[in-house]
Amino acid sequence: MFLHTYLKNPRLLRSAIFAMLGMVLVTTTNAQRSSEYVEGKWDIGILAGASSTTISFESSINNTILTNSTFDPSVDFAGGVSFDFLFASDKRTRWSMANELLFTNYTLNGTYRVDTGTGTEAESIFARTQLGSSNIAMYNSLRLRFPVVREVLLFFNAGISIGLSVSQKNTQIVEVDNFFGQGVEEGEALERIRKTERALTFGGGVM
């Protein structure tokens, strides 16, 4: 999510599934004026679920290890709190301003191996890379919710998010074995990892 390096176009793909627990935990609302008109109210709830993260790299320069490493997907816990203000409405369809504070994290482990040459020119290279981040993000969006069956709501939202990486993992270990002996080199996989993120967000679901 926060990757910046000399590599061109690092691709980090994330998806998440959240369950609304105890929604609504706390509700503040005014009395209804009639059986149809509903005034604005706050819904406060807990978010809990899982996120799935994958990554791949492309480069216009020679960086064989990262561009050819195979990274396993990272499936991790994600959770937070939701503050949803529902605007006053005289219809069953409701617009709201949704605000969500979420904690997410991922750890991606990649490997690369190549064997070249024969005899005294034989060489084996094995590399292990680990990239990870723990993040806190605030999502602000405009949400449209409407009922599909009794007590089941379908919603769609669009907005912006601002994220902060609170801890990171960025390591690479390269083992080389050839005619002259064995060697191990440890260091950072990426030159720089960005600690903040800003993005447009779109989503939908059932509550």
Side-chain angles (χ1 to χ4, degrees), residues 18-51:
F18 296 101
M20 306 294 286
L21 301 182
M23 190 67 168
V24 177
L25 290 184
V26 180
T27 300
T28 303
T29 181
N30 295 322
Q32 297 181 1
R33 295 181 183 177
S34 67
S35 60
E36 295 183 354
Y37 184 86
V38 180
E39 293 198 7
K41 67 175 183 178
W42 282 97
D43 283 352
I44 303 176
I46 295 176
L47 297 171
S51 66

Side-chain angles (χ1 to χ4, degrees), residues 3-190:
L3 304 181
H4 261 245
T5 181
Y6 46 82
L7 289 174
K8 179 182 178 182
N9 299 329
R11 297 178 179 177
L12 187 68
L13 304 178
R14 309 204 67 194
S15 60
I17 300 175
F18 296 101
M20 306 294 286
L21 301 182
M23 190 67 168
V24 177
L25 290 184
V26 180
T27 300
T28 303
T29 181
N30 295 322
Q32 297 181 1
R33 295 181 183 177
S34 67
S35 60
E36 295 183 354
Y37 184 86
V38 180
E39 293 198 7
K41 67 175 183 178
W42 282 97
D43 283 352
I44 303 176
I46 295 176
L47 297 171
S51 66
S52 176
T53 307
T54 62
I55 193 171
S56 64
F57 292 92
E58 295 179 358
S59 177
S60 58
I61 62 175
N62 184 21
N63 192 301
T64 305
I65 293 178
L66 281 182
T67 55
N68 291 281
S69 289
T70 300
F71 287 87
D72 297 326
S74 177
V75 179
D76 306 277
F77 168 81
V81 292
S82 172
F83 303 88
D84 199 359
F85 180 75
L86 280 74
F87 299 118
S89 175
D90 58 359
K91 300 178 181 180
R92 298 183 67 193
T93 299
R94 301 290 299 275
W95 287 95
S96 66
M97 180 60 69
N99 305 282
E100 298 171 352
L101 183 64
L102 293 176
F103 170 82
T104 62
N105 72 98
Y106 64 87
T107 299
L108 297 159
N109 294 294
T111 58
Y112 167 78
R113 185 182 186 92
V114 62
D115 299 298
T116 60
T118 58
T120 57
E121 296 182 354
E123 183 176 70
S124 176
I125 299 176
F126 178 67
R128 290 171 290 169
T129 302
Q130 185 176 81
L131 300 171
S133 181
S134 297
N135 315 305
I136 296 176
M138 172 65 77
Y139 295 82
N140 305 106
S141 58
L142 187 64
R143 174 174 293 167
L144 174 64
R145 59 167 73 180
F146 53 91
V148 287
V149 295
R150 185 178 181 181
E151 298 184 354
V152 176
L153 298 175
L154 185 65
F155 71 89
F156 299 96
N157 50 253
I160 61 173
S161 69
I162 300 175
L164 173 67
S165 176
V166 294
S167 67
Q168 300 170 336
K169 299 176 182 178
N170 178 26
T171 61
Q172 188 173 85
I173 300 175
V174 181
E175 302 175 5
V176 179
D177 185 1
N178 55 33
F179 177 76
F180 300 99
Q182 298 178 335
V184 178
E185 180 179 349
E186 300 185 22
E188 294 184 342
L190 302 174

